[in-house]
Amino acid sequence: MKPTDSDASYLVGLFALTVATGLVDAVSYLALDRVFTGNMTGNVLFVGFGLAGSGEVPLLNNALALVGFLAGAIVAGRLVHGRTHVTRLPTAHLLVLCGTAATALASGVAWLLLGAPAGGWLIGLTALLAAAMGMQAVVARGARISDVTTVVITSTLVNFALDSPLAGGTFDKWVRRAGAVVSMGAGGALGALLISAWSGAGALLVAGACMALGAIGLGAARHREGRRAAGTRTVLERPGGEAGR
């Protein structure tokens, strides 16, 4: 099935959220305690390494990041479960995204005011960011574009390879898949540069801004889709239209 114009509208917001994930993971890994807050595959491995006795891996922080991510996903699931809208993205999804953006921005401001995280403040921030990423992962699914989950790239790479002409595929979705990979990598690179040139707090503020832009982009896409749906209904309801025959 070929991509639709509606899909293209949603991709802009999803790519912005994917960039934000790269930024947040750069912050949590490079500026906190070598913990991923969006990439849970890495965290599962880190927990395994820690349980095996690797002293260089912060077992507690990685375990809390996993718990935080799961908790955020569960909370988001409860908030959006059963919600419907004439478009593919119910209002509850957008509100949760606004909440995750506000969380990242507030965390960045707190970091600037309180100084570099340490001790309980570091662990709490790690868990909070992981929860925000878990919530984002759930609500981004409302856009119904499986290749851009905003937090997972491995499956996107597999689909990219399987759908390539070399594997006998049509390559009809290569733009979105490549865009997801590039967005994640760009977010990570930008985060690393910001941490080096500014601070982890600054990178987190930029991540929050990207989340906000993603929410705005998805909201705009939903508005356009709603207008198209309303226009279609109007045409069908006119005398002589399909509904009037």
Side-chain angles (χ1 to χ4, degrees):
M1 183 174 63
K2 292 185 177 181
T4 65
D5 291 339
S6 182
D7 284 350
S9 296
Y10 282 98
L11 284 173
V12 176
L14 291 175
F15 287 155
L17 294 178
T18 306
V19 170
T21 298
L23 280 158
V24 171
D25 266 342
V27 170
S28 62
Y29 190 84
L30 298 175
L32 293 179
D33 197 13
R34 298 197 177 278
V35 174
F36 287 119
T37 49
N39 180 5
M40 288 301 111
T41 301
N43 270 348
V44 170
L45 290 173
F46 284 155
V47 169
F49 298 157
L51 290 173
S54 176
E56 297 180 357
V57 177
L59 175 58
L60 175 61
N61 288 13
N62 279 286
L64 285 176
L66 274 173
V67 172
F69 188 93
L70 288 172
I74 290 171
V75 170
R78 293 289 296 179
L79 291 173
V80 304
H81 182 70
R83 305 287 184 176
T84 59
H85 192 267
V86 293
T87 66
R88 67 177 79 182
L89 197 68
T91 301
H93 289 64
L94 291 176
L95 292 176
V96 171
L97 283 177
C98 290
T100 59
T103 296
L105 290 170
S107 298
V109 171
W111 189 333
L112 289 174
L113 295 176
L114 300 176
W121 164 217
L122 185 150
I123 292 175
L125 180 58
T126 298
L128 181 63
L129 291 177
M133 289 294 95
M135 297 181 83
Q136 176 181 294
V138 168
V139 298
R141 291 164 64 95
R144 303 175 196 169
I145 300 179
S146 59
D147 287 306
V148 190
T149 66
T150 77
V151 295
V152 177
I153 293 299
T154 304
S155 58
T156 302
L157 285 170
V158 171
N159 290 334
F160 185 91
L162 288 176
D163 199 37
S164 70
L166 293 175
T170 60
F171 229 25
D172 61 334
K173 295 181 180 179
W174 74 271
V175 172
R176 67 178 61 178
R177 289 165 179 163
V181 175
V182 170
S183 296
M184 183 74 78
L190 178 59
L193 289 173
L194 288 170
I195 291 167
S196 176
W198 186 7
S199 67
L204 194 52
L205 289 173
V206 174
C210 284
M211 290 180 188
L213 288 175
I216 292 171
L218 291 174
R222 190 184 84 150
H223 179 68
R224 286 192 291 270
E225 185 181 7
R227 290 185 64 180
R228 284 195 295 268
T232 300
R233 287 197 303 271
T234 299
V235 170
L236 293 176
E237 290 169 359
R238 286 175 182 170
E242 184 175 333
R245 293 176 183 173

